[in-house]
């Protein structure tokens, strides 16, 4: 069974940094692109970032470009999101999700349970 | 404001059919990109419901179906059940953003 487990969330002051991780199991991690999607409290889903299966291509939403960095370690089956210069509007539940196919545009399946990031101003 | 427009809420009685619309544009659906749908039950992570417009993952009941025409897509739920009460999101790729987009979500209420 495919399993994704996020960690690293917490409370941080505006301008601070956090590093999220997503440990995966149940599939060959290096074969799939991966993404981060966030959901503010009471709000909808927002795509944040994606990374190709070997990490040579990365993509970001305009709202986080220049502040967030996605990376992966295929030897550890783990996805990361380094978040710098955090703002109040970054407060959200952050999900990692697998991109199931080799297509460059995809859907997300499955999702982890999420890790909460709270940014205080 | 999302590039994919969904109604905030829809409702129906048990057994009825409800539909959720998702209106896009020439940079997503109109450019040929597919639509995918997710169900989010209260307090849980989103779950894939429909991919590539009208394909259902294993385990998803055939009461759920999808369609797309031009710059619009829709999700239909037939034989509505109490357990279908959830938030539903459409998702696609947008060439103007060079990234993925989600609709704002539709809350389905079973009366």
């Amino acid at each position: 069974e495919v399993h994704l487990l996020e960690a690293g969330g917490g409370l941080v002051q505006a301008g601070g940094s956090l590093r999220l991780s997503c440990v995966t199991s149940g599939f060959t991690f290096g074969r799939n692109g991966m993404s981060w999607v966030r959901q503010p409290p009471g709000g909808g889903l927002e795509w944040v970032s994606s990374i190709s299966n070997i990490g040579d291509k990365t993509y970001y939403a305009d709202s986080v470009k220049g502040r967030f960095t996605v990376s992966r370690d295929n030897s550890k089956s783990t996805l990361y999101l380094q978040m710098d210069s955090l703002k109040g509007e970054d407060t959200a539940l952050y999900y990692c999700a697998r991109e199931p196919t080799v297509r460059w545009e995809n859907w997300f399946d499955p999702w982890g349970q999420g890790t909460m990031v709270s940014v205080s101003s | 404001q999302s590039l994919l427009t969904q109604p905030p809420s829809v409702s129906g009685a048990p057994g009825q059919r409800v539909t959720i619309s998702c209106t896009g544009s020439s940079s997503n659906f109109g450019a040929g990109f597919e639509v995918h749908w997710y169900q989010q039950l209260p307090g849980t992570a989103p779950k894939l419901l429909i991919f590539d417009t009208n394909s259902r993952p294993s385990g998803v009941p055939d009461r759920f179906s999808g369609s797309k025409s031009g710059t619009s897509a829709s999700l239909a739920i037939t034989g509505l059940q109490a357990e279908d009460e959830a938030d539903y999101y459409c998702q696609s790729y947008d060439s103007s953003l060079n990234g993925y987009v989600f609709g704002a979500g539709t809350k389905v209420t079973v009366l």
Side-chain angles (χ1 to χ4, degrees):
Chain A
E1 182 185 359
V2 176
H3 194 58
L4 310 177
L5 183 64
E6 303 92 338
L11 176 63
V12 62
Q13 283 193 328
S17 298
L18 275 178
R19 189 195 196 202
L20 307 184
S21 62
C22 172
V23 177
T24 75
S25 61
F27 68 105
T28 305
F29 184 67
R31 290 183 180 173
N32 294 86
M34 297 292 294
S35 289
W36 290 97
V37 178
R38 68 185 180 184
Q39 185 171 33
L45 302 172
E46 179 190 15
W47 169 74
V48 173
S49 180
S50 297
I51 186 168
S52 62
N53 65 318
I54 59 173
D56 61 331
K57 298 183 180 68
T58 57
Y59 311 90
Y60 300 94
D62 286 343
S63 58
V64 306
K65 201 171 293 183
R67 300 188 298 121
F68 290 11
T69 304
V70 63
S71 62
R72 62 191 296 159
D73 185 336
N74 285 356
S75 70
K76 297 181 178 178
S77 298
T78 301
L79 173 72
Y80 302 99
L81 185 68
Q82 177 66 41
M83 304 186 296
D84 298 320
S85 303
L86 283 161
K87 305 176 182 179
E89 51 263 43
D90 295 321
T91 294
L93 186 61
Y94 284 72
Y95 296 102
C96 68
R98 185 183 69 166
E99 298 189 24
T101 78
V102 298
R103 275 165 36 178
W104 65 276
E105 54 91 14
N106 237 306
W107 59 93
F108 307 112
D109 181 53
W111 301 54
Q113 91 293 340
T115 187
M116 186 67 201
V117 172
S118 298
V119 183
S120 64
S121 53
Chain B
Q1 188 171 352
S2 176
L3 293 182
L4 301 181
T5 302
Q6 297 181 235
S9 63
V10 298
S11 61
Q16 282 191 330
R17 179 180 187 268
V18 297
T19 61
I20 300 170
S21 61
C22 177
T23 303
S25 68
S26 58
S27 58
N28 40 71
F29 300 155
F33 295 112
E34 292 284 1
V35 61
H36 319 292
W37 292 91
Y38 303 88
Q39 177 192 59
Q40 187 174 32
L41 297 170
T44 70
K47 169 194 160 188
L48 179 69
L49 198 62
I50 297 283
F51 65 95
D52 282 353
T53 298
N54 57 10
S55 295
R56 281 176 287 105
S58 173
V60 172
D62 59 7
R63 302 185 293 102
F64 295 92
S65 62
S67 63
K68 182 165 72 78
S69 178
T71 57
S72 292
S74 65
L75 173 72
I77 310 173
T78 57
L80 195 63
Q81 299 181 5
E83 67 206 50
D84 298 332
E85 201 160 90
D87 293 322
Y88 293 82
Y89 294 89
C90 58
Q91 176 249 316
S92 185
Y93 184 88
D94 192 277
S95 57
S96 67
L97 294 182
N98 288 319
Y100 294 108
V101 289
F102 288 91
T106 298
K107 182 174 182 61
V108 169
T109 301
V110 182
L111 302 172

